[in-house]
Amino acid sequence: MQLARRLTLTDAVAVGLGSMIGAGVFAVWGPAIEASGSGIFIALAIAAVVAFCNATSSAQLAAVHPVAGGTYAYARAEIGPWWGYIAGWCFVIGKLASCAAMAMTFAAYAAPAGWEPLVAALAVAALATVNCFGVTRTALLTRILVVVSLLGLAVVVAVGFASAPSASPAPLADLTAYGVLQGAGLLFFAFAGYARIATMGEEVVEPARSIPRAIVLALSGALVVYVLVAVVVVLTLGADAAAQSAPLAAVVDAAGLTGLEPVVRIAAAAASLGALLALLTGIGRTTLAMARASDLPRFLAAVHPRWQVPYRAEIAVAIIVIVVLLVVDLRGAIGFSSFGVLLYYLIANAAAFRQSGAARRYPRALQVLGVLGCLVLVNTLPLLASLIGTGVILVGVAYRILRLRFTRARAA
């Protein structure tokens, strides 16, 4: 059964913004500032350039292949099943870690001390339930959460700029080339939300026109927000941001306006939930596409006859995310997520490079730059995250080899 085309251009932009704003603004500044020091804005610029290259590749591919699954489907069509499988596996494992990070971020802002793991797990279960009742409900809730989070961010930015002249932030550490690149790799985690638009290609109205526009609009809007928030965080907190689990609430505290802290926490919670909702949706669609092709168990390919959503995939994803968030910390989740997602976009750029003729919308130089950027950034991520990521990818490769051998043996 096919998924229903119910998402408009506005819905698609909201899904992308919801993913990126929740991921970046409220979760990544501490680890990124700790890594890049005074080079935080250089790191942000590098991450934005790599993200732009990847976004244009995704847009070009999505216009030709408007189906569920994102780069899993694109790479299968353009460069072969194995590349598609590796892209899909990298996306699923990377975004499972992203979901855990978003749930942790939500709990850091919204839960009483000591209750964070339980609250994070309940948030995942609740949003997975929403996803099981139709994509239009997902889009509506995402719009509401994006509006709430943007209003809260406007408060933080206004307070931060007003208090900046009197602030005495801790000086940032000196920049190093490696630190800046590692910071860019971590910040890339914040920009990866536009992938959710592409993975939902089977549900977007006029996908060849809407998806490329939505990707570029969402990325541009998110970049403006990131720059404003980064300036505020550096001017008011400086190096102290690295030690904060809720840095934007700390910005309000540093300005002496503690009465506004609940507003910031509500906005942060809304943004994190918006990102988590979109992430769960995107992983469910990629899982559906992989299960349809037997690259994951066929059991996960079921589409609900009434709600027209991949409900088994959504439930399985939610269970795995709850397990992950109970065993990893935020920095580890961000590093692992960036590892998987950078490899995913490396393959997206390679697939877009192969396109020609009427399918080509952007110069090949952007895809070459995207590949190089992904390779550089993935090699500067924290060593433990890279080692674990490599191990999990090898497990996925071994699974597909065994499945193919089993299938051939049965056919014989």
Side-chain angles (χ1 to χ4, degrees):
M1 181 182 292
Q2 296 296 303
L3 302 178
R5 293 197 182 277
R6 295 173 174 168
L7 298 181
T8 64
L9 173 62
T10 303
D11 292 329
V13 172
V15 168
L17 274 176
S19 301
M20 287 185 278
I21 289 175
V25 171
F26 296 99
V28 80
W29 297 114
I33 287 174
E34 183 179 3
S36 56
S38 59
I40 182 65
F41 292 103
I42 302 174
L44 181 60
I46 293 172
V49 169
V50 176
F52 177 77
C53 294
N54 298 341
T56 54
S57 291
S58 295
Q60 180 174 292
L61 289 161
V64 178
H65 306 286
V67 296
T71 298
Y72 168 72
Y74 310 154
R76 279 180 66 89
E78 297 290 343
I79 53 180
W82 260 110
W83 288 107
Y85 174 80
I86 293 172
W89 184 254
C90 286
F91 179 86
V92 170
I93 63 171
K95 291 308 179 182
L96 287 172
S98 293
C99 286
M102 286 303 93
M104 293 177 204
T105 302
F106 167 73
Y109 281 94
W115 289 81
E116 291 89 349
L118 176 60
V119 170
L122 289 174
V124 173
L127 294 183
T129 301
V130 171
N131 278 345
C132 286
F133 285 97
V135 72
T136 53
R137 290 167 176 80
T138 298
L140 175 61
L141 181 54
T142 299
R143 283 190 190 187
I144 294 170
L145 293 173
V146 168
V147 170
V148 172
S149 60
L150 287 175
L151 290 173
L153 287 171
V155 171
V156 173
V157 170
V159 167
F161 279 119
S163 64
S166 60
S168 299
L172 297 174
D174 292 338
L175 66 87
T176 64
Y178 182 82
V180 167
L181 291 174
Q182 184 176 102
L186 294 170
L187 284 165
F188 183 79
F189 164 86
F191 284 104
Y194 52 81
R196 240 66 66 238
I197 303 170
T199 58
M200 299 173 72
E202 198 172 306
E203 296 162 279
V204 176
V205 178
E206 298 183 15
R209 174 176 174 270
S210 297
I211 294 176
R213 292 178 64 192
I215 288 173
V216 174
L217 287 171
L219 179 62
S220 301
L223 179 58
V224 172
V225 173
Y226 293 163
V227 170
L228 290 173
V229 174
V231 171
V232 165
V233 170
V234 169
L235 291 178
T236 55
L237 299 180
D240 290 340
Q244 300 289 337
S245 61
L248 298 196
V251 167
V252 175
D253 285 340
L257 298 173
T258 54
L260 290 176
E261 185 176 335
V263 175
V264 177
R265 289 188 176 276
I266 290 171
S272 302
L273 287 178
L276 179 57
L277 181 63
L279 283 164
L280 290 169
T281 305
I283 300 171
R285 273 58 183 177
T286 300
T287 301
L288 168 70
M290 295 181 73
R292 282 172 170 171
S294 298
D295 279 335
L296 288 176
R298 293 281 299 178
F299 171 82
L300 299 173
V303 175
H304 196 281
R306 177 179 179 185
W307 305 115
Q308 294 183 291
V309 294
Y311 66 105
R312 290 179 183 171
E314 293 284 357
I315 293 169
V317 166
I319 292 171
I320 295 170
V321 170
I322 290 171
V323 172
V324 171
L325 68 85
L326 294 177
V327 298
V328 301
D329 61 15
L330 181 61
R331 183 183 176 90
I334 290 175
F336 181 78
S337 173
S338 294
F339 181 86
V341 175
L342 282 164
L343 292 181
Y344 170 85
Y345 282 116
L346 187 154
I347 296 172
N349 282 303
F353 186 86
R354 290 287 300 273
Q355 292 182 294
S356 58
R360 176 149 298 282
R361 291 170 174 246
Y362 303 97
R364 281 192 168 91
L366 286 177
Q367 286 112 54
V368 173
L369 183 58
V371 167
L372 294 176
C374 289
L375 284 173
V376 170
L377 296 187
V378 81
N379 282 288
T380 59
L381 292 171
L383 179 60
L384 180 61
S386 298
L387 290 175
I388 294 174
T390 301
V392 174
I393 289 172
L394 291 176
V395 168
V397 170
Y399 166 79
R400 190 168 195 267
I401 290 173
L402 291 174
R403 184 188 66 76
L404 290 174
R405 287 181 177 177
F406 178 74
T407 302
R408 283 195 294 266
R410 288 187 65 184

